[in-house]
Amino acid sequence: MKERIDIENIDGQLFEIKVVDPDNSKPASFTHYLHNHKNGVSQFYKKDALSYVKEILKKEYPTEKITNQIAEEALRYLIFDLNKSVPFPAPEKPKFKFIDLFAGIGGFRLAFQNLKGKCVFTSEWDKYSKQTYKANFGEIPFGDITKPETKNYIPDNFDVLCAGFPCQAFSIAGRRGGFEDTRGTLFFDVAEIIKKKQPKAIFLENVKGLRNHDKGKTLATILNVLREDLDYYVPEPQIINAKEFGVPQNRERIFIVGFHKDTGIKDFEYPKPTNKERVLEDVLEQNKVSVKYYLSTTYIDTLRKHKARHESKGNGFGYEIIPNDGTANAVVCGGMGRERNLVFDDRLTNFKPVTNISGKVNREGIRKMTPREWARLQGFPDNFKIVVSDAQAYKQFGNSVAVPAIQATAEKIIEKLSCK
Ligand SMILES: C[S@@+](CC[C@H](N)C(=O)[O-])C[C@H]1O[C@@H](n2cnc3c(N)ncnc32)[C@H](O)[C@@H]1O
């Protein structure tokens, strides 16, 4: 069992949070089996799925002999129950298959499912993201993608590989890096999967800073590996801003799209902006929000003093209150993520003094945005279930993608592959 400790910033205080990954592939195999019963892919997961069902049945009925036949029947029965309670089931008649790597809470999955894609494999090692993923898609992601055991569960013959992988430097001395120079990084794992599975298209997403990371060498290496070593057609990557695709969030990300040489595709256009009109007010909660989101007077004072100190030194670090007709800053999970997107909402404080866990609440109506508002900033619909603590939810939405920007690009990819 592996243990990972994350540091969370909650209201200016740092907390250690243990994120334990039990590294057990059986529950993931089980849900992947159920979700793929209509296509050949389920055979990849059958052995583990059966053994998992047997384990469960043995626990439930310790005195009974659980045979393979009984387990198979139970699996068939479970397939009936599938999709009953999840808000985002797989499309009924899928037109193409994709895999969702570094899946987080499934931003890519939502976008590709909206285009009638069937997700046939997903990997994410964070325990809490897996909970959100399961609650919304009914599927449990496999764990650590760097492990050969995890990679072995990836089926053949899917059309698109999606990955929003964390950015890491490669240790290349001078020359343009190739496949072997990326060994030990998460990009190497992505490249290895592409090499082995040869998907028709790939869609990678990363922070805008990837462009200048390590003086541009990181991106140059990624492109070199994709183009030269893996022989994909990869047009110039594009910086896409979420605010141009129907959400009021200034979030710039780099998108890298590529096509297998056998597709014959030699040109690609990233999507043009679809909707720049939405403003903060469009995503704010209609009802009064809980007092816990309001900042205490002491915290606001601290933020103001801090900002004044930094501004006098010439840098604009600090909190920011976004006007109702404005655009939010990018939601991010660390640092001052929440304080950079404060809003005015005096529906709570214009009556009488109120207190919350941090003390007396400010009378100006300054509050943090709620996790649901962050979900909306990322284009997640309101029936997307939030089943984790606020701290985890902020982290998950901050780490995720702006779904409409992903979907607009995915649509262009699918158009090119002609599997609409
Ligand atoms: C930038 S986030 C991607 C979020 C995702 N695109 C979404 O829509 O929510 C990267 C994710 O990769 C996961 N991750 C990092 N290393 C991993 C590994 N070795 N195996 C599986 N998941 C990993 C992290 O837990 C994190 O959720």
Side-chain angles (χ1 to χ4, degrees):
M1 194 182 266
K2 182 165 50 210
E3 197 169 83
R4 227 180 71 226
I5 308 234
D6 278 8
I7 308 290
E8 285 267 344
N9 181 332
I10 301 170
D11 285 349
Q13 277 185 285
L14 297 179
F15 291 89
E16 276 191 354
I17 298 192
K18 284 185 184 153
V19 185
V20 177
D21 176 17
D23 260 355
N24 175 5
S25 296
K26 280 189 189 163
S29 287
F30 168 64
T31 55
H32 278 66
Y33 175 82
L34 296 182
H35 275 254
N36 288 290
H37 68 281
K38 284 189 189 157
N39 57 42
V41 173
S42 63
Q43 291 315 311
F44 273 90
Y45 307 118
K46 187 164 181 183
K47 194 164 151 257
D48 271 14
L50 269 177
S51 132
Y52 183 64
V53 169
K54 266 183 156 174
E55 267 173 34
I56 293 176
L57 291 174
K58 274 184 191 153
K59 268 192 209 140
E60 288 275 313
Y61 308 101
T63 56
E64 305 284 322
K65 185 171 172 358
I66 308 295
T67 60
N68 270 352
Q69 198 188 347
I70 292 177
E72 288 217 20
E73 246 171 68
L75 266 184
R76 273 199 293 277
Y77 175 75
L78 285 162
I79 286 171
F80 275 122
D81 258 6
L82 191 71
N83 289 343
K84 267 197 189 146
S85 56
V86 293
F88 304 100
E92 273 297 313
K93 290 190 179 138
K95 303 243 166 97
F96 62 95
K97 294 181 194 143
F98 66 97
I99 69 167
D100 191 12
L101 304 179
F102 307 96
I105 54 173
F108 271 97
R109 179 161 179 157
L110 206 50
F112 276 91
Q113 278 196 184
N114 286 343
L115 300 170
K116 296 210 177 328
K118 170 81 186 80
C119 182
V120 291
F121 174 85
T122 161
S123 148
E124 165 57 56
W125 71 358
D126 181 81
K127 171 179 161 184
Y128 300 104
S129 302
K130 281 178 190 234
Q131 288 171 6
T132 302
Y133 202 98
K134 174 164 184 275
N136 285 287
F137 302 104
E139 195 152 49
I140 302 172
F142 284 90
D144 190 349
I145 195 64
T146 63
K147 291 192 166 167
E149 305 91 274
T150 311
K151 289 192 193 114
N152 283 341
Y153 282 105
I154 305 177
D156 297 329
N157 300 323
F158 55 88
D159 302 289
V160 189
L161 172 145
C162 310
F165 60 101
C167 160
Q168 294 159 305
F170 309 123
S171 42
I172 314 142
R175 65 215 157 76
R176 287 185 90 186
F179 194 60
E180 282 307 318
D181 297 299
T182 67
R183 197 173 273 283
T185 67
L186 293 165
F187 173 72
F188 178 82
D189 295 289
V190 174
E192 207 181 39
I193 296 167
I194 298 173
K195 190 173 182 181
K196 182 158 179 217
K197 300 293 178 180
Q198 305 278 312
K200 288 183 190 147
I202 56 176
F203 183 1
L204 314 181
E205 180 259 6
N206 219 298
V207 290
K208 182 187 168 192
L210 175 68
R211 222 175 23 177
N212 302 320
H213 192 252
D214 196 11
K215 303 197 186 90
K217 276 195 237 163
T218 308
L219 180 60
T221 303
I222 289 175
L223 294 177
N224 197 41
V225 171
L226 297 174
R227 288 172 179 159
E228 305 305 325
D229 296 340
L230 303 179
D231 211 2
Y232 272 64
Y233 161 68
V234 182
E236 205 42 39
Q238 179 107 350
I239 306 287
I240 299 252
N241 195 330
K243 73 175 182 190
E244 300 188 324
F245 292 86
V247 289
Q249 186 199 169
N250 194 4
R251 185 186 193 84
E252 289 185 297
R253 287 291 183 270
I254 189 165
F255 287 8
I256 306 172
V257 165
F259 294 95
H260 194 280
K261 69 169 185 316
D262 289 354
T263 60
I265 296 168
K266 291 200 175 89
D267 64 293
F268 178 76
E269 262 187 46
Y270 282 88
K272 301 262 177 307
T274 52
N275 172 5
K276 303 179 183 175
E277 309 304 319
R278 305 219 37 227
V279 292
L280 183 78
E281 195 169 18
D282 297 325
V283 301
L284 295 184
E285 305 257 13
Q286 294 293 310
N287 301 322
K288 263 192 207 177
V289 311
S290 160
V291 66
K292 70 180 175 182
Y293 298 108
Y294 283 81
L295 269 52
S296 70
T297 43
T298 38
Y299 189 39
I300 295 228
D301 279 352
T302 311
L303 288 177
R304 283 187 171 134
K305 280 187 199 136
H306 194 73
K307 186 166 185 160
R309 244 193 345 261
H310 280 267
E311 270 175 354
S312 66
K313 285 186 198 150
N315 73 49
F317 173 84
Y319 72 95
E320 200 171 328
I321 301 172
I322 313 294
N324 272 7
D325 61 354
T327 304
N329 291 309
V331 294
V332 289
C333 59
M336 296 284 283
R338 280 160 252 179
E339 288 78 359
R340 300 255 299 135
N341 274 318
L342 298 175
V343 296
F344 273 121
D345 179 353
D346 65 2
R347 288 173 297 175
L348 186 75
T349 52
N350 57 6
F351 305 113
K352 52 184 190 293
V354 202
T355 54
N356 66 14
I357 193 168
S358 323
K360 194 140 67 71
V361 151
N362 77 88
R363 303 296 303 268
E364 300 161 71
I366 301 173
R367 68 163 174 85
K368 287 178 270 193
M369 295 181 82
T370 64
R372 176 59 66 199
E373 289 168 340
W374 274 37
R376 291 175 184 163
L377 283 180
Q378 291 280 49
F380 282 80
D382 278 2
N383 57 338
F384 190 87
K385 286 191 192 170
I386 302 176
V387 294
V388 290
S389 68
D390 275 9
Q392 287 298 330
Y394 284 120
K395 182 176 162 196
Q396 293 176 3
F397 289 116
N399 253 337
S400 189
V401 287
V403 179
I406 294 285
Q407 189 168 325
T409 310
E411 202 168 351
K412 293 278 181 194
I413 298 174
I414 299 307
E415 245 171 52
K416 274 278 166 201
L417 295 178
S418 324
C419 36
K420 252 167 98 167

Short mmCIF file of all heavy atoms in Angstrom, two decimals, residues 24 26-28 30-31 34 48-64 66 70-71 74-75 78 134 140:
data_model
loop_
_atom_site.label_atom_id
_atom_site.label_comp_id
_atom_site.label_asym_id
_atom_site.label_seq_id
_atom_site.Cartn_x
_atom_site.Cartn_y
_atom_site.Cartn_z
N ASN A 24 -5.19 -1.53 -5.62
CA ASN A 24 -5.89 -2.78 -5.89
C ASN A 24 -6.66 -2.59 -7.19
O ASN A 24 -7.56 -1.78 -7.27
CB ASN A 24 -6.83 -3.08 -4.71
CG ASN A 24 -7.68 -4.29 -4.96
OD1 ASN A 24 -7.52 -4.98 -5.97
ND2 ASN A 24 -8.58 -4.56 -4.03
N LYS A 26 -8.61 -4.69 -8.72
CA LYS A 26 -9.84 -5.46 -8.93
C LYS A 26 -11.12 -4.62 -9.02
O LYS A 26 -11.92 -4.83 -9.93
CB LYS A 26 -9.97 -6.53 -7.85
CG LYS A 26 -9.12 -7.75 -8.15
CD LYS A 26 -9.42 -8.85 -7.19
CE LYS A 26 -8.43 -9.98 -7.34
NZ LYS A 26 -8.45 -10.86 -6.19
N PRO A 27 -11.32 -3.66 -8.10
CA PRO A 27 -12.55 -2.86 -8.24
C PRO A 27 -12.59 -2.11 -9.58
O PRO A 27 -13.65 -1.99 -10.20
CB PRO A 27 -12.49 -1.87 -7.07
CG PRO A 27 -11.53 -2.47 -6.11
CD PRO A 27 -10.57 -3.30 -6.90
N ALA A 28 -11.42 -1.65 -10.04
CA ALA A 28 -11.38 -0.95 -11.33
C ALA A 28 -11.72 -1.91 -12.46
O ALA A 28 -12.53 -1.62 -13.34
CB ALA A 28 -10.00 -0.34 -11.55
N PHE A 30 -13.46 -4.55 -12.28
CA PHE A 30 -14.87 -4.91 -12.15
C PHE A 30 -15.76 -3.86 -12.85
O PHE A 30 -16.59 -4.20 -13.70
CB PHE A 30 -15.18 -5.00 -10.65
CG PHE A 30 -16.62 -5.09 -10.30
CD1 PHE A 30 -17.38 -6.17 -10.71
CD2 PHE A 30 -17.23 -4.10 -9.54
CE1 PHE A 30 -18.72 -6.27 -10.39
CE2 PHE A 30 -18.56 -4.18 -9.21
CZ PHE A 30 -19.31 -5.26 -9.64
N THR A 31 -15.52 -2.58 -12.55
CA THR A 31 -16.37 -1.56 -13.18
C THR A 31 -16.06 -1.43 -14.68
O THR A 31 -16.96 -1.21 -15.48
CB THR A 31 -16.22 -0.18 -12.50
OG1 THR A 31 -14.84 0.19 -12.49
CG2 THR A 31 -16.76 -0.18 -11.09
N LEU A 34 -18.01 -4.18 -16.39
CA LEU A 34 -19.44 -3.88 -16.51
C LEU A 34 -19.70 -2.84 -17.61
O LEU A 34 -20.65 -2.96 -18.38
CB LEU A 34 -19.99 -3.35 -15.18
CG LEU A 34 -19.98 -4.31 -13.99
CD1 LEU A 34 -20.61 -3.64 -12.78
CD2 LEU A 34 -20.72 -5.60 -14.31
N ASP A 48 -10.33 -10.54 -13.56
CA ASP A 48 -10.31 -9.80 -12.29
C ASP A 48 -11.72 -9.50 -11.80
O ASP A 48 -11.99 -9.52 -10.61
CB ASP A 48 -9.58 -8.46 -12.47
CG ASP A 48 -8.10 -8.61 -12.22
OD1 ASP A 48 -7.63 -9.75 -12.18
OD2 ASP A 48 -7.43 -7.57 -12.09
N ALA A 49 -12.61 -9.19 -12.75
CA ALA A 49 -13.97 -8.83 -12.37
C ALA A 49 -14.64 -10.02 -11.69
O ALA A 49 -15.28 -9.89 -10.63
CB ALA A 49 -14.77 -8.41 -13.60
N LEU A 50 -14.45 -11.21 -12.26
CA LEU A 50 -15.04 -12.42 -11.68
C LEU A 50 -14.48 -12.67 -10.29
O LEU A 50 -15.22 -12.97 -9.35
CB LEU A 50 -14.74 -13.62 -12.57
CG LEU A 50 -15.76 -13.94 -13.64
CD1 LEU A 50 -15.30 -15.11 -14.48
CD2 LEU A 50 -17.13 -14.25 -13.03
N SER A 51 -13.18 -12.54 -10.17
CA SER A 51 -12.56 -12.82 -8.89
C SER A 51 -13.02 -11.80 -7.83
O SER A 51 -13.23 -12.14 -6.68
CB SER A 51 -11.04 -12.88 -9.08
OG SER A 51 -10.37 -12.15 -8.17
N TYR A 52 -13.26 -10.56 -8.27
CA TYR A 52 -13.75 -9.54 -7.34
C TYR A 52 -15.18 -9.86 -6.88
O TYR A 52 -15.49 -9.78 -5.69
CB TYR A 52 -13.71 -8.18 -8.03
CG TYR A 52 -14.11 -7.02 -7.15
CD1 TYR A 52 -13.36 -6.66 -6.04
CD2 TYR A 52 -15.25 -6.26 -7.45
CE1 TYR A 52 -13.71 -5.60 -5.24
CE2 TYR A 52 -15.62 -5.19 -6.65
CZ TYR A 52 -14.85 -4.86 -5.55
OH TYR A 52 -15.22 -3.80 -4.76
N VAL A 53 -16.02 -10.25 -7.83
CA VAL A 53 -17.40 -10.58 -7.47
C VAL A 53 -17.43 -11.79 -6.53
O VAL A 53 -18.20 -11.83 -5.57
CB VAL A 53 -18.24 -10.87 -8.74
CG1 VAL A 53 -19.59 -11.46 -8.40
CG2 VAL A 53 -18.43 -9.60 -9.52
N LYS A 54 -16.55 -12.75 -6.81
CA LYS A 54 -16.47 -13.93 -5.93
C LYS A 54 -16.10 -13.51 -4.50
O LYS A 54 -16.71 -13.97 -3.54
CB LYS A 54 -15.40 -14.90 -6.45
CG LYS A 54 -15.94 -15.99 -7.35
CD LYS A 54 -14.80 -16.90 -7.71
CE LYS A 54 -15.27 -18.26 -8.08
NZ LYS A 54 -14.17 -19.09 -8.56
N GLU A 55 -15.12 -12.61 -4.40
CA GLU A 55 -14.70 -12.13 -3.07
C GLU A 55 -15.88 -11.51 -2.33
O GLU A 55 -16.12 -11.78 -1.17
CB GLU A 55 -13.62 -11.05 -3.21
CG GLU A 55 -12.21 -11.56 -3.16
CD GLU A 55 -11.21 -10.45 -3.49
OE1 GLU A 55 -11.45 -9.28 -3.14
OE2 GLU A 55 -10.18 -10.78 -4.13
N ILE A 56 -16.63 -10.68 -3.06
CA ILE A 56 -17.76 -10.00 -2.43
C ILE A 56 -18.83 -11.01 -1.99
O ILE A 56 -19.33 -10.98 -0.87
CB ILE A 56 -18.40 -8.96 -3.39
CG1 ILE A 56 -17.39 -7.84 -3.63
CG2 ILE A 56 -19.68 -8.40 -2.84
CD1 ILE A 56 -17.85 -6.81 -4.63
N LEU A 57 -19.13 -11.94 -2.92
CA LEU A 57 -20.17 -12.92 -2.60
C LEU A 57 -19.75 -13.81 -1.42
O LEU A 57 -20.57 -14.15 -0.57
CB LEU A 57 -20.48 -13.78 -3.83
CG LEU A 57 -21.19 -13.06 -4.98
CD1 LEU A 57 -21.32 -13.97 -6.20
CD2 LEU A 57 -22.58 -12.57 -4.57
N LYS A 58 -18.47 -14.14 -1.37
CA LYS A 58 -17.98 -14.97 -0.25
C LYS A 58 -18.14 -14.24 1.08
O LYS A 58 -18.45 -14.85 2.10
CB LYS A 58 -16.52 -15.35 -0.47
CG LYS A 58 -16.37 -16.60 -1.34
CD LYS A 58 -14.92 -17.00 -1.46
CE LYS A 58 -14.78 -18.07 -2.52
NZ LYS A 58 -13.46 -18.08 -3.14
N LYS A 59 -17.91 -12.94 1.04
CA LYS A 59 -18.08 -12.15 2.29
C LYS A 59 -19.55 -12.11 2.69
O LYS A 59 -19.91 -12.23 3.85
CB LYS A 59 -17.57 -10.73 2.08
CG LYS A 59 -16.11 -10.59 2.47
CD LYS A 59 -15.70 -9.13 2.53
CE LYS A 59 -14.22 -9.03 2.20
NZ LYS A 59 -13.87 -7.92 1.38
N GLU A 60 -20.43 -11.94 1.68
CA GLU A 60 -21.87 -11.83 1.96
C GLU A 60 -22.46 -13.17 2.39
O GLU A 60 -23.33 -13.22 3.23
CB GLU A 60 -22.61 -11.38 0.69
CG GLU A 60 -22.39 -9.96 0.31
CD GLU A 60 -23.35 -9.02 1.04
OE1 GLU A 60 -24.54 -9.32 1.09
OE2 GLU A 60 -22.85 -8.01 1.58
N TYR A 61 -22.00 -14.23 1.73
CA TYR A 61 -22.57 -15.57 2.00
C TYR A 61 -21.46 -16.55 2.38
O TYR A 61 -21.10 -17.44 1.60
CB TYR A 61 -23.31 -16.10 0.76
CG TYR A 61 -24.32 -15.12 0.20
CD1 TYR A 61 -24.03 -14.34 -0.91
CD2 TYR A 61 -25.58 -14.99 0.80
CE1 TYR A 61 -24.95 -13.42 -1.41
CE2 TYR A 61 -26.50 -14.06 0.31
CZ TYR A 61 -26.18 -13.29 -0.80
OH TYR A 61 -27.08 -12.39 -1.29
N PRO A 62 -20.91 -16.40 3.60
CA PRO A 62 -19.71 -17.18 3.96
C PRO A 62 -19.94 -18.68 3.97
O PRO A 62 -18.99 -19.45 3.80
CB PRO A 62 -19.36 -16.66 5.36
CG PRO A 62 -20.51 -15.85 5.82
CD PRO A 62 -21.33 -15.48 4.65
N THR A 63 -21.18 -19.14 4.12
CA THR A 63 -21.40 -20.59 4.21
C THR A 63 -21.65 -21.23 2.84
O THR A 63 -21.69 -22.44 2.70
CB THR A 63 -22.59 -20.90 5.14
OG1 THR A 63 -23.72 -20.19 4.61
CG2 THR A 63 -22.31 -20.48 6.58
N GLU A 64 -21.88 -20.41 1.81
CA GLU A 64 -22.18 -20.95 0.47
C GLU A 64 -20.90 -21.22 -0.32
O GLU A 64 -19.89 -20.56 -0.11
CB GLU A 64 -23.01 -19.94 -0.34
CG GLU A 64 -24.27 -19.46 0.31
CD GLU A 64 -25.37 -20.49 0.24
OE1 GLU A 64 -25.47 -21.17 -0.80
OE2 GLU A 64 -26.11 -20.63 1.24
N ILE A 66 -19.22 -20.55 -3.63
CA ILE A 66 -19.41 -19.62 -4.75
C ILE A 66 -18.62 -20.13 -5.96
O ILE A 66 -17.39 -20.07 -5.99
CB ILE A 66 -18.97 -18.20 -4.38
CG1 ILE A 66 -19.60 -17.72 -3.08
CG2 ILE A 66 -19.26 -17.22 -5.53
CD1 ILE A 66 -21.11 -17.56 -3.10
N ILE A 70 -21.87 -19.05 -10.59
CA ILE A 70 -22.65 -18.11 -9.76
C ILE A 70 -22.10 -16.69 -9.93
O ILE A 70 -22.85 -15.72 -10.10
CB ILE A 70 -22.60 -18.54 -8.27
CG1 ILE A 70 -23.36 -19.85 -8.09
CG2 ILE A 70 -23.17 -17.45 -7.36
CD1 ILE A 70 -23.33 -20.41 -6.70
N ALA A 71 -20.78 -16.60 -9.91
CA ALA A 71 -20.16 -15.27 -10.06
C ALA A 71 -20.53 -14.66 -11.41
O ALA A 71 -20.85 -13.47 -11.51
CB ALA A 71 -18.65 -15.37 -9.90
N ALA A 74 -24.01 -13.39 -11.30
CA ALA A 74 -24.08 -12.15 -10.53
C ALA A 74 -23.61 -10.98 -11.38
O ALA A 74 -24.22 -9.91 -11.38
CB ALA A 74 -23.23 -12.26 -9.27
N LEU A 75 -22.54 -11.21 -12.16
CA LEU A 75 -22.03 -10.14 -13.03
C LEU A 75 -23.09 -9.71 -14.03
O LEU A 75 -23.31 -8.53 -14.28
CB LEU A 75 -20.80 -10.63 -13.79
CG LEU A 75 -19.43 -10.34 -13.19
CD1 LEU A 75 -18.34 -10.81 -14.12
CD2 LEU A 75 -19.25 -8.85 -12.92
N LEU A 78 -25.61 -7.66 -12.43
CA LEU A 78 -25.11 -6.31 -12.12
C LEU A 78 -25.13 -5.41 -13.35
O LEU A 78 -25.32 -4.20 -13.24
CB LEU A 78 -23.68 -6.41 -11.56
CG LEU A 78 -23.62 -6.90 -10.11
CD1 LEU A 78 -22.21 -7.37 -9.77
CD2 LEU A 78 -24.04 -5.80 -9.16
N LYS A 134 -16.20 7.92 -9.73
CA LYS A 134 -17.14 6.81 -9.64
C LYS A 134 -18.58 7.33 -9.47
O LYS A 134 -19.51 6.82 -10.10
CB LYS A 134 -16.78 5.91 -8.47
CG LYS A 134 -17.80 4.83 -8.23
CD LYS A 134 -17.27 3.72 -7.35
CE LYS A 134 -18.29 2.62 -7.21
NZ LYS A 134 -19.26 2.89 -6.13
N ILE A 140 -14.57 3.01 -11.69
CA ILE A 140 -13.44 3.32 -10.81
C ILE A 140 -12.16 3.28 -11.65
O ILE A 140 -11.88 2.27 -12.29
CB ILE A 140 -13.31 2.29 -9.67
CG1 ILE A 140 -14.60 2.26 -8.85
CG2 ILE A 140 -12.11 2.60 -8.78
CD1 ILE A 140 -14.65 1.15 -7.82
#
